[in-house]
Amino acid sequence: MEIYNFENDRRLKCEVRNYDLVVAGGGISGVCCAITAAREGLSVALIQDRPVLGGNASSEVRLWVLGATSHMGNNNRWAREGGVINELLVENTYRNKEGNPVLFDMVLMDKVLSEENISLFLNTIIHDVKKDISASIRSIIAFNASSETSYEFNAPLFVDCTGDGIVSYLAGVPFRMGAEDREEYNEAFVPDKEKYGELLGHSIFFYMKDTGKPVHYVAPAFALKDVEKKIPKIFKSEYFNTGHHGCKYWWLEYGGRIDTIHDTETIKYELWKIVYGIWDYVKNSGKFPEMENYTLEWVGLIPGKRESRRMKGLYTLTQQDIIEQRIQKDAVAFGGWAVDLHCADAVYSPMRGCDQYHSKGIYSIPYRCYLPESIDNLFIAGRLISVSHVAFASTRVMATCGHGAQAVGMAAALCRNRGILPKDLLEEKNIAILQEKLNIAGQSIPLLPINGDGNLALQAAISTSSFLNLSELSFDGEWLPLDFSSAQMLPVEAGKKYCFEVELDVEEKTTLVTELRCSSKPTNYTPDVIVEKMEIALEPGVQRVNLSFSKGVSGDQYGFLIFLKNSAVKIKTSRSRISGILSVFNKFNIAVNNYGRQEPPEGCGLESFEFWCPDRRPKGENLAMKISPSLEIGNVNELRNGSIRPIARPNAWIADMADSSPWIELNWEKPQNIKEIKLYFDTDYDHPMESVQMGHAENVMPFCVRDFKIECNGQTIVDCKNNYETIRTFILKEEVITDFLRIHMVNPSSVTPASVFYIYVC
């Protein structure tokens, strides 16, 4: 054993590391940003102050990743964020459909460690920033207590994904904390500060477990007493239910009236006091005998933060941008979560835990929101981007944050590879390049399809074994009682007059009201326009009914064939599951303030409308019907339009239901040099894929093609089995010279035909 006795050499180890990009913060945003940049060839340092990745989504906090889909509780159809965040959620659903937060940790870790260009630094706390000049960061200084090592991270570009914005703060970027006055951005929904305070608070969750035998519990001395008196929501089943745990207790929130950065430890202790006090109430009040065998399995050790600093960028997103769904020329991401403001007194208030008001569809987020004022080589991403307090109430959720962060990762790669600054990408030609690269990677920027420059597939003659000409949704499902108004969404053509034949089981003589509706905005899915309404007199018994409409919708878009609530009627459903075809219901989802209809306060700038949302699988069958004229929705031209998810139509080539061996063939007039092939499949962008707790009916989405082969020159160059991913990229070991490619597919199931959104060949 060596003995060290160098009294004058007791300095901490210091390492200087040089990278193309330094990403500060290893939450969902940092992970998406780092992976995106690394895949574009940049050497990336990913710095995380915790022992695991994921931030609020990690096993330390256990909040589900969610975004524009909003638990399928709003009218944002096919709105799950694309790209890397989608890849993470699809992977987690495949490996971990039960929603185990520990396993989600490992999904994130596995993805990051698989990228050879990422150097990961866990337990590493940033505490200083060095600048060469006032407008440029030279390095980030951080310390790892576990290894007693200090780091100096040098790079030409930096990204702040730290949530609280520590890098931006130390670098001198202007910022806001709290709510603006109405005059600042002319926002009509600027909250009453007496009710809402200035900030959203923190939360700590808990998990419980049935041990199968009685469990005694002695509360710590600091646990909250008089829970019934101090926490009025205990008496509201919507909030307090002994069947709930984890994220269901989001309303255990505190800190909205104090400093959510510097008072974080104070907030944490208060939340622990609340959690252990509630468990004492559950176990020892005598009011919950069903909990005798339960133990408190886990309590969060750190609080999940909602709000702190918001950095001032080149553009500030506001309420109007969200509600009006304003078009942004430099759009790089989208959001769709509700404007979600919480009562400042939170857990101690008798008021609702939050007020959520949804827009009628998703909205764009411009690149300028990710560029801070005053620092030339810094990007901002995650919840600290440039938005007003009201807009922040929507943009703050993790899937939205991750979606924007991957745009930043791609932008950083373009800047590094071209030797330009982040602001230079705002030039028209440069922003177009950024948007195209993002969309090829799966971003799905609203109203901006892949333009296809450089895609050899678009230069080929494309033929297929068949395509779907939808004339019937098979009459082979169960009977659905019309206990709620129900609708079938179908992609219809402008001006066409349609006839539908449905099968009904009528209990007693009644009148059924049906409507053909559409959205006032063709790319939305809020059926706020009644095209035509009819009343059908029905006699008891099982019967087929023809519905012939004399009017058509004004544009090519989704129409809604609606059957209004009638408890005396059941309608036949279909087992057919087809890409871009969906049933929706005017039910409610209390978790996102959906009570069937949104009625915001008068004068707040928010809209009133009905919610029409799908049922989660295994429910959510389509409504059985014959359709005349048939819907030509899956032809070969869909492979050319550049959209990789349903929008105003399915946007996918779909095989005919009777085609048992579907294929797509590409033929070129002369041989092409091919080194890479991308296929874009349907992993059901309408499903939220919450990362933890919720659980999912299946680990592979029913529309996804599992098995396929790619052939050319008489050989199989790709043979894929058991696919579950959205985008499959095949970089060929050797470049292929060919004038012909054929993709052979196996239908996902007997009731679901193969479908492909897009093919990219280069």
Side-chain angles (χ1 to χ4, degrees), residues 360-385:
K360 286 185 174 180
I362 61 172
Y363 57 88
S364 298
I365 305 177
Y367 176 62
R368 288 163 292 160
C369 289
Y370 302 95
L371 299 183
E373 285 188 354
S374 73
I375 304 296
D376 287 341
N377 66 337
L378 175 66
F379 297 91
I380 50 178
R383 62 180 172 87
L384 55 85
I385 66 171

Side-chain angles (χ1 to χ4, degrees), residues 598-643:
Q598 175 168 289
E599 294 288 0
E602 188 174 350
C604 69
L606 303 164
E607 296 180 274
S608 299
F609 57 89
E610 291 178 345
F611 291 105
W612 290 83
C613 308
D615 278 343
R616 283 178 180 261
R617 285 189 302 275
K619 299 195 298 182
E621 297 86 351
N622 289 306
L623 306 184
M625 62 184 64
K626 289 185 176 181
I627 306 162
S628 178
S630 59
L631 307 175
E632 190 177 305
I633 60 173
N635 68 38
V636 68
N637 293 326
E638 305 293 349
L639 294 171
R640 297 183 178 277
N641 69 22
S643 295

Side-chain angles (χ1 to χ4, degrees), residues 63 83 131 145 183 254 258 351 438 520 546 571 699 731:
L63 178 63
K131 296 195 292 185
E183 294 73 25
Y254 180 75
I258 56 180
M351 300 171 59
L438 284 168
S520 54
N546 284 301
I571 189 168
N699 68 343
I731 300 174

Side-chain angles (χ1 to χ4, degrees), residues 501-575:
E501 181 182 305
V502 297
E503 189 169 7
L504 306 175
D505 184 359
V506 183
E507 184 177 324
E508 61 187 33
K509 186 175 181 178
T510 187
T511 298
L512 178 64
V513 179
T514 67
E515 296 174 341
L516 178 62
R517 295 193 199 177
C518 66
S519 173
S520 54
K521 187 173 184 178
T523 52
N524 281 354
Y525 311 101
T526 297
D528 50 2
V529 175
I530 299 176
V531 177
E532 190 173 348
K533 180 176 181 178
M534 64 176 69
E535 297 183 358
I536 310 296
L538 298 173
E539 297 293 331
V542 175
Q543 55 205 273
R544 292 283 183 103
V545 174
N546 284 301
L547 308 170
S548 294
F549 290 93
S550 61
K551 299 178 182 178
V553 301
S554 58
D556 292 355
Q557 63 181 116
Y558 275 94
F560 293 72
L561 178 58
I562 290 176
F563 302 88
L564 296 187
K565 177 180 177 180
N566 189 323
S567 58
V569 179
K570 298 176 183 176
I571 189 168
K572 193 72 167 177
T573 64
S574 176
R575 293 179 59 239

